[in-house]
């Protein structure tokens, strides 16, 4: 699997490259340094106010600790960023939620077109298949031409089963069939791919609620996860999408894709700070192994390696 370190350093303009530059330019704990830190955080899309806040608090902490060496300063920054992430949460962890033994777990994937929903399902299905889970996919994005074929391709690659419907057919019926098959066939996990765009947002949200009801009717405790997939390269736009989806449906966690080669990875902190949703996975490339369970420590350490 791809490590954070590899994934985050794929391009020169990447998120981690900026932090490495910051530390490479380090001379002393002075105004210049903190100004550069602020700029780095803002460029990473942490958000303007939060960048100032982090930088100010770090100045105090560095002074308090009497940190002056590059290594001490770097460690203080790492600690700070991990703390910012942890404290913005509700004490939840990043682990995936599963159904009780003997029942299929249902993971519903939501998000706008092109963020990487289908790809993430393909990667995650492989991840769990390797753990010995019996995995089923449901192609409930019947709106986008080619979406079903794309998921079927992943199913073949992963050698897992997939439920499909005709193009433009009712996605709810694909969901129904998927849930039924997952129960009858004793599957461990059902992954449901959904459409990212209908005529309008109201319509999209209504469709998602309908799907959830269809799932719940057959499996009262499902879906165990409603994962909102966001494209990290879109920065503040991703934050906007997170607001919209969180307001209209019960999102349980986030998948942040395309963190490879983006300088905007700070959006992890911005979204966390505002919406308190746990990031559960990050996408670090287009290949099957380019998906990692999110871990705030590893993520932040990876920035400076
Ligand atoms: P969907 O419309 O949300 O289902 O999005 P897709 O799964 O079709 O992905 C859209 C594009 O993003 C595809 O070209 C994917 O290969 C690409 N993609 C998805 N995840 C990642 C990632 O983590 N890194 C990179 N570099 N590309 C990704």
């Amino acid at each position: 699997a791809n490590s954070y370190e590899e994934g985050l350093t794929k391009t020169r303009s990447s998120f981690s490259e900026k932090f490495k530059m910051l530390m490479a330019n380090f001379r002393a704990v002075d105004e210049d340094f903190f100004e550069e830190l602020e700029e780095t955080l803002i460029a990473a899309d942490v958000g303007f106010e939060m960048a100032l806040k982090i930088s100010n608090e770090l100045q105090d902490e560095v002074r308090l600790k009497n940190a002056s060496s590059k290594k001490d300063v770097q460690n203080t920054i790492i600690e700070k960023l991990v703390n910012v992430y942890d404290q913005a949460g509700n004490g939840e962890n990043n682990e995936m939620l599963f159904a009780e033994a003997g029942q299929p777990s249902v993971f519903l994937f939501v998000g706008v077109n092109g963020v990487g929903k289908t790809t993430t399902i393909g990667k995650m299905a492989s991840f769990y298949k390797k753990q010995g889970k019996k995995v089923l996919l449901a192609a409930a994005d019947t709106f986008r031409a080619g979406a079903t074929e794309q998921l079927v391709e992943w199913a073949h690659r992963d050698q897992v089963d997939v439920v499909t419907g005709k193009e433009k057919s009712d996605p709810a019926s694909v969901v129904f069939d998927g849930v039924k098959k997952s129960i009858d066939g004793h599957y461990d996990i059902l992954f449901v791919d959904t459409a990212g765009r209908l005529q309008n947002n109201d319509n999209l949200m209504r469709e998602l609620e309908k799907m959830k009801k269809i799932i719940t009717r057959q499996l009262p405790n499902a879906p165990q996860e409603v994962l909102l997939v966001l494209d990290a390269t879109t920065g503040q736009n991703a934050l906007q999408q997170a607001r919209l989806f969180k307001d209209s449906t019960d999102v349980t966690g986030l998948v942040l894709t395309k963190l490879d080669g983006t300088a905007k990875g700070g959006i992890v902190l911005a979204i966390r700070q505002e919406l308190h949703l746990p990031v559960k996975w990050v996408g670090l490339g287009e290949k099957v192994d380019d998906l990692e369970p999110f871990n705030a420590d590893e993520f932040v350490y990876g920035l400076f390696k």
Side-chain angles (χ1 to χ4, degrees):
N2 220 328
S3 68
Y4 285 100
E5 199 180 330
E6 278 169 29
L8 293 171
T9 52
K10 272 182 191 163
T11 69
R12 279 184 186 284
S13 61
S14 73
F15 190 27
S16 63
E17 205 64 34
K18 290 223 157 60
F19 282 93
K20 273 178 238 165
M21 280 267 278
L22 172 76
M23 292 321 296
N25 292 340
F26 178 86
R27 264 175 228 100
V29 191
D30 54 16
E31 232 169 80
D32 282 352
F33 176 75
F34 285 105
E35 221 163 85
E36 210 177 321
L37 172 68
E38 250 168 55
E39 279 164 23
T40 304
L41 290 168
I42 291 167
D45 253 340
V46 161
F48 187 72
E49 272 171 41
M50 194 149 128
L52 293 192
K53 184 167 175 276
I54 291 174
S55 170
N56 284 337
E57 289 176 7
L58 266 170
Q59 290 194 42
D60 294 341
E61 280 163 38
V62 165
R63 209 173 298 130
L64 213 79
K65 281 191 185 161
N66 239 332
S68 57
S69 74
K70 186 164 162 168
K71 190 159 174 278
D72 288 346
V73 171
Q74 180 169 313
N75 284 338
T76 311
I77 297 174
I78 289 173
E79 229 171 79
K80 180 72 192 168
L81 293 179
V82 173
N83 271 339
V84 167
Y85 181 88
D86 285 343
Q87 284 170 6
N90 296 323
E92 88 290 329
N93 61 29
N94 303 333
E95 306 272 310
M96 291 287 276
L97 304 171
F98 283 90
E100 53 193 83
Q103 295 231 341
S105 302
V106 182
F107 301 158
L108 189 65
F109 287 73
V110 302
V112 306
N113 272 351
V115 290
K117 286 185 299 297
T118 309
T119 307
T120 301
I121 291 174
K123 293 171 180 174
M124 212 182 288
S126 162
F127 179 95
Y128 283 112
K129 195 192 172 202
K130 280 185 195 146
Q131 292 191 352
K133 306 266 193 215
K134 190 177 177 190
V135 168
L136 180 64
L137 315 183
D141 180 358
T142 55
F143 288 85
R144 180 164 69 88
T148 296
E149 287 73 13
Q150 201 188 330
L151 195 71
V152 168
E153 233 171 76
W154 273 107
H156 288 164
R157 215 173 300 161
D158 293 343
Q159 296 188 298
V160 300
D161 296 327
V162 59
V163 173
T164 61
K166 289 209 185 71
E167 206 176 306
K168 308 283 185 270
S169 69
D170 185 4
S173 80
V174 178
V175 174
F176 181 88
D177 292 347
V179 175
K180 185 161 181 349
K181 187 176 166 82
S182 74
I183 298 168
D184 295 346
H186 304 286
Y187 286 84
D188 296 306
I189 307 173
L190 170 66
F191 291 87
V192 182
D193 197 7
T194 65
R197 187 162 53 172
L198 298 178
Q199 293 87 334
N200 57 54
N201 283 331
D202 275 357
N203 217 317
L204 173 60
M205 298 307 163
R206 229 177 296 130
E207 198 62 49
L208 290 176
E209 284 314 302
K210 191 169 147 198
M211 284 185 195
K212 274 171 68 184
K213 268 192 206 129
I214 283 162
I215 296 167
T216 309
R217 229 174 276 151
Q218 295 180 82
L219 291 168
N221 296 321
Q224 276 65 31
E225 294 277 1
V226 178
L227 295 176
L228 172 61
V229 183
L230 298 169
D231 176 344
T233 65
T234 63
Q236 295 295 316
N237 237 337
L239 180 62
Q240 189 57 36
Q241 288 162 24
R243 281 187 197 119
L244 177 74
F245 276 90
K246 200 198 173 195
D247 281 347
S248 343
T249 186
D250 299 317
V251 176
T252 57
L254 303 176
V255 180
L256 216 55
T257 62
K258 311 186 197 181
L259 267 178
D260 50 306
T262 175
K264 296 180 176 175
I267 201 68
V268 173
L269 289 179
I271 292 173
R272 175 72 166 175
Q273 189 73 22
E274 186 183 317
L275 301 169
H276 315 294
L277 288 168
V279 179
K280 299 214 169 183
W281 299 84
V282 291
L284 296 162
E286 300 192 79
K287 296 203 201 71
V288 65
D289 286 335
D290 296 337
L291 182 76
E292 291 276 327
F294 182 75
N295 175 301
D297 284 326
E298 275 182 42
F299 179 75
V300 176
Y301 274 102
L303 296 178
F304 293 88
K305 270 186 204 156

